[in-house]
Amino acid sequence: MFTLTEIVQPSTLEEAYSILVKKKTNQVLGGTTFLRMGNKRIGTGIELSNLNLDYIREDDKFVEIGSMTTLRSLETSDIINNNFSMLKDAVKDIIGVQFRNVVTVGGSVFSKYGFSDLIVALLCLDTEVETYKGGRISLDEFLNKEYEKDILTKIYIKKNNKKAVYKSMRNAKSDYPILNVSVSKIDNNFKICVGARPQRAKVAIKASEFLSNNEINDKNIDIALDMMVDEIRFGSNMRASKEYRLQISKVLVKRAIMEVTKC
């Protein structure tokens, strides 16, 4: 459980950011669901409900999602389901509906949680994040940046008819994933992503390039899978061993590749 000295609800992003950087222990709260799992003392908690960041909207090129949008909103949104139905598959087994009604997109993405189902799903799409201070960059670049105090305001997902599939392995349906993967395809270009390794999601660049430049058959898929486990590092924790995750990754990614080629 976390403790707060005080909580504020700023009316502008400028005000929110100025409070955030004023003191090391100040923190944006988001939905606070994952904060409750730890034991942390927060100076000033910054609650963003007054900043109108809870929305999903689209134009001809992008779907834009505000950082205070909940995972349940992603799950039930017609805009999301019409454009990126795999996102519903990615979030539908996260704990329960009450939990998903509180967890925010911004809190999940900005925190770069290794177990995040949402991040690995977004990573195989053409996703960009926008922060107040850092501006707009690709999700992949954001995940590999060093942590700095900032406020994630929105994400953009490009509408390019990319086909994508999400897969995960769990000990129980509503548990955190042992491993999660996503695979996308547009034209002949594949993108393979692996998360909950248990480190944060990562793109298997060499394996993706090999698959993109060769015929899709069992032999080449197996070669790509071997390349994937060579370039992606796996680890052990209370949920699964390194060796188990490595073997599961091959099974899940192969299934995802076969599905995405049939879309």
Side-chain angles (χ1 to χ4, degrees), residues 230-248:
D230 280 342
E231 66 177 306
I232 298 253
R233 182 183 303 171
F234 296 87
S236 301
N237 63 6
M238 62 182 291
R239 287 189 170 82
S241 68
K242 168 185 175 180
E243 293 76 17
Y244 185 68
R245 283 191 166 95
L246 187 152
Q247 294 303 322
I248 289 297

Side-chain angles (χ1 to χ4, degrees), residues 92-112:
K92 65 183 176 62
D93 290 326
I94 298 176
I95 311 298
V97 172
Q98 288 178 315
F99 190 83
R100 297 195 297 276
N101 266 323
V102 180
V103 180
T104 61
V105 169
S108 299
V109 174
F110 188 81
S111 301
K112 305 179 184 179

Side-chain angles (χ1 to χ4, degrees), residues 114-115 117 166-172 175-181 194-199 234-246 248-249 252:
F115 56 78
D117 297 278
Y166 168 87
K167 297 287 184 183
S168 71
M169 172 67 76
R170 287 168 155 79
N171 284 324
D175 194 10
Y176 290 107
I178 292 173
L179 190 88
N180 52 31
V181 307
V194 183
R197 344 176 249 116
Q199 301 91 335
F234 296 87
S236 301
N237 63 6
M238 62 182 291
R239 287 189 170 82
S241 68
K242 168 185 175 180
E243 293 76 17
Y244 185 68
R245 283 191 166 95
L246 187 152
I248 289 297
S249 71
L252 294 184

